[in-house]
């Protein structure tokens, strides 16, 4: 404690800071959450764009099914085969529209208890939509890997889809193919070693 000019004691700067109420802290936390959300969304969008950019050249057929939002919605439960270009367009549209559809009616600066609940609900809805997109991308990757003829084809597919392997759902979906590829490479190495 310091002694002031009048003989009274002055508080230290740390004590003064403890007594300050920061009313903007909730707003700062919300803005940080929005920033984190935007960064994660842009990262996902970049990965989807990078991975699916090759679909236009390949034109491979992809099966879309299980009642997803493709088309007019009248094909619930049906599986529909689409071209790689159509699938790429669908996936990019879904990623681009997910935040707009869920946050369009949300006042992100509403810090009341109701506003917090609405914001958290929108985040959960976005997570569900991203899970559905990841599931479809995992299905696409599994289909590509199942169609591979040899280890070289598998390496090519894994190299192209590598950015998606950071997503836990996709990584889990292709685990068996990774093991199969490792076994194939191990056998090839053993053959080479036996020759020399």
């Amino acid at each position: 404690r310091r002694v002031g000019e009048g003989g009274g004691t002055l508080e230290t700067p740390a004590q003064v800071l403890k007594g300050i109420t920061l009313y903007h802290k909730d707003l700062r936390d919300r803005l940080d959450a929005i920033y984190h959300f935007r960064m994660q969304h842009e990262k996902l969008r970049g990965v989807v764009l990078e991975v699916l950019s090759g679909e236009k050249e390949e034109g491979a057929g992809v099966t879309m099914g299980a009642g997803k939002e493709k088309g007019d919605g009248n094909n619930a439960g049906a599986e529909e085969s689409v071209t790689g270009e159509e699938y790429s367009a669908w996936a990019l549209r879904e990623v681009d529209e997910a935040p707009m559809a869920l946050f369009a009616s949300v006042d992100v600066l509403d810090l009341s208890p109701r506003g917090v609940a609405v914001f958290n609900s929108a985040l959960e809805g976005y997570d569900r939509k991203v899970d559905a997109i990841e599931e479809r991308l995992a299905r696409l990757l599994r289909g590509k890997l199942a169609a591979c003829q040899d280890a070289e084809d598998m390496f090519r597919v894994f190299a192209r889809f590598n950015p998606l392997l950071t997503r836990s759902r996709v990584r889990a979906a292709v685990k068996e193919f990774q093991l199969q590829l490792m076994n194939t490479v191990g056998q090839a190495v053993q053959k080479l070693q036996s020759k020399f």
Side-chain angles (χ1 to χ4, degrees), residues 23-106:
Y23 292 105
H24 70 285
K25 185 178 180 332
D26 291 338
L27 179 60
R28 181 181 178 102
D29 292 344
R30 175 63 61 87
L31 292 175
D32 287 344
I34 292 169
Y35 175 78
H36 178 71
F37 167 78
R38 291 287 312 244
M39 296 305 295
Q40 291 296 337
H41 176 73
E42 287 303 316
K43 183 178 176 183
L44 173 66
R45 186 182 188 289
V47 165
V48 169
L49 184 61
E50 178 182 344
V51 167
L52 295 181
S53 62
E55 288 300 302
K56 292 178 182 170
E57 293 90 40
E58 288 181 19
V62 177
T63 300
M64 296 178 67
K68 300 298 182 202
E69 302 92 29
K70 170 83 174 77
D72 60 359
N74 292 333
N75 60 348
E79 294 214 348
E80 178 181 349
S81 182
V82 296
T83 66
E85 188 171 348
E86 289 173 332
Y87 185 81
S88 296
W90 170 86
L92 286 173
R93 187 174 53 253
E94 283 293 306
V95 170
D96 286 341
E97 291 176 358
M100 290 183 276
L102 294 165
F103 287 94
S105 62
V106 175

Side-chain angles (χ1 to χ4, degrees), residues 150-169:
D150 57 13
E152 189 175 325
D153 289 344
M154 286 183 118
F155 273 121
R156 199 173 300 119
V157 170
F158 272 120
R160 186 167 139 228
F161 282 84
N162 187 40
L164 270 181
L165 297 178
T166 61
R167 314 294 291 191
S168 59
R169 182 181 298 264

Side-chain angles (χ1 to χ4, degrees), residues 19 23-24 112 125 133-134 189:
Y23 292 105
H24 70 285
S112 68
I133 292 168
E134 283 181 0
V189 168

Side-chain angles (χ1 to χ4, degrees), residues 6 8 16-17 29 46 50 53 55 63 65 80 95 108 111 121 123 151 171 184 190:
V16 170
L17 287 177
D29 292 344
E50 178 182 344
S53 62
E55 288 300 302
T63 300
E80 178 181 349
V95 170
V108 294
L111 300 174
S121 174
L123 285 177
R171 191 172 47 241
T184 305
Q190 286 176 352

